[in-house]
């Protein structure tokens, strides 16, 4: 944890938020909230910033570095936008597709290692820090089986950001999803999403989520 804290502080210092003009504090001296606005030309910058941050964390734990994969980026981008349309942070698409299905649709020949998602107003590095605090999402980030990463987001006009990170292994055979009752429903089930996923796919892949912030 000491190593993680040192690395995380260094990573957070790299976050590039556009400074706000005018007053920076309220009348009672508290910092004014800042809206983290992502511009259209920030895509490559944010993806490589996340890649460098993830690899720094993996290196501190003795895990090999991962590389960005355009197909995984595409799968992550599709799901981020779809979560916004559903207004729900969960791992199934509005058409019932699973993370495994989405990798097949973009033509990824390898295997899914895991998927992290988040609904937040925080930056990518703050989101990474939140993922590292949760055992399941941290396990996906630090998985020694991961060789490639996809990372994307969708930001709504009000500033809310839907983040998706996908870890894959190009050297492993694609996973075959088991029968999942939730995947055939266009309307989300009443039961908790994570419980439904764990019941049917826990032997296949760790698919994790963090609470909305």
């Amino acid at each position: 944890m000491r190593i993680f804290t040192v690395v995380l502080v260094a990573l957070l210092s790299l976050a590039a938020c556009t400074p706000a003009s005018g007053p920076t504090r309220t009348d009672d001296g508290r910092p004014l909230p800042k809206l983290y606005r992502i511009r259209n030309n920030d895509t490559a910058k944010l993806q490589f910033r996340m890649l460098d941050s993830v690899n720094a964390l993996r290196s501190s734990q003795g895990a090999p570095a991962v590389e960005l994969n355009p197909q995984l980026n595409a799968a992550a981008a599709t799901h981020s936008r779809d979560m916004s349309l559903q207004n729900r942070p969960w791992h199934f698409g509005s058409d019932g597709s699973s993370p495994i299905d989405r990798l097949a649709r973009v033509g990824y020949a390898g295997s899914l290692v895991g998927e992290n998602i988040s609904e937040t107003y925080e930056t990518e590095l703050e989101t990474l820090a939140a993922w590292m605090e949760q055992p399941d999402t941290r396990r996906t980030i630090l998985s020694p089986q991961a060789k490639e990463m996809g990372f994307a987001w969708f930001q709504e006009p009000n500033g809310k950001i839907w983040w998706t990170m996908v870890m894959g292994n190009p050297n492993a055979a694609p996973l075959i999803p088991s029968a999942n009752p939730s995947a055939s429903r266009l309307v989300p089930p009443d039961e908790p999403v994570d419980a439904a996923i764990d019941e049917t796919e826990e032997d296949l892949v760790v698919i994790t989520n963090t609470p909305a912030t």
Side-chain angles (χ1 to χ4, degrees):
M1 291 304 298
R2 181 183 298 272
I3 294 175
F4 165 68
T5 301
V6 172
V7 173
L8 187 57
V9 169
L11 296 179
L12 289 175
S13 67
L14 298 176
C17 296
T18 303
S21 58
T24 59
R25 294 185 177 273
T26 60
D27 293 339
D28 60 1
R30 299 175 62 184
L32 287 171
K34 293 182 180 179
L35 176 62
Y36 186 64
R37 179 63 64 184
I38 303 174
R39 297 168 298 186
N40 292 334
N41 59 353
D42 285 344
T43 299
K45 180 174 65 177
L46 264 64
Q47 286 176 332
F48 280 103
R49 182 184 298 154
M50 178 60 82
L51 178 68
D52 290 343
S53 301
V54 166
N55 280 335
L57 293 169
R58 290 175 63 85
S59 176
S60 72
Q61 299 299 312
V66 295
E67 298 180 354
L68 278 177
N69 178 279
Q71 293 169 319
L72 296 182
N73 284 341
T78 296
H79 191 53
S80 292
R81 181 178 291 273
D82 191 64
M83 284 192 294
S84 174
L85 292 174
Q86 298 184 75
N87 195 32
R88 178 182 176 126
W90 76 320
H91 295 279
F92 290 104
S94 55
D95 61 352
S97 59
S98 72
I100 300 172
D101 295 325
R102 289 191 289 275
L103 264 60
R105 289 176 180 178
V106 297
Y108 188 70
S111 175
L112 174 70
V113 173
E115 177 183 82
N116 291 346
I117 58 176
S118 183
E119 171 196 16
T120 181
Y121 289 89
E122 296 179 331
T123 70
E124 71 281 359
L125 296 185
E126 289 172 325
T127 300
L128 176 61
W131 283 338
M132 287 296 292
E133 292 175 357
Q134 301 296 323
D136 289 343
T137 44
R138 181 172 65 247
R139 186 162 55 248
T140 296
I141 294 167
L142 301 179
S143 172
Q145 283 75 41
K147 308 297 181 185
E148 295 179 327
M149 183 184 86
F151 179 66
W153 57 90
F154 179 77
Q155 186 168 34
E156 298 179 356
N158 64 5
K160 180 189 292 185
I161 309 172
W162 302 83
W163 301 102
T164 303
M165 173 187 287
V166 184
M167 291 292 191
N169 185 339
N171 303 320
L175 294 172
I176 306 300
S178 61
N180 192 326
S182 299
S184 64
R185 303 176 187 171
L186 297 184
V187 178
D190 294 332
E191 64 269 19
V193 175
D194 287 342
I197 292 175
D198 290 344
E199 179 182 353
T200 57
E201 292 193 350
E202 66 177 354
D203 293 332
L204 291 176
V205 64
V206 175
I207 304 173
T208 50
N209 182 23
T210 54
T213 56

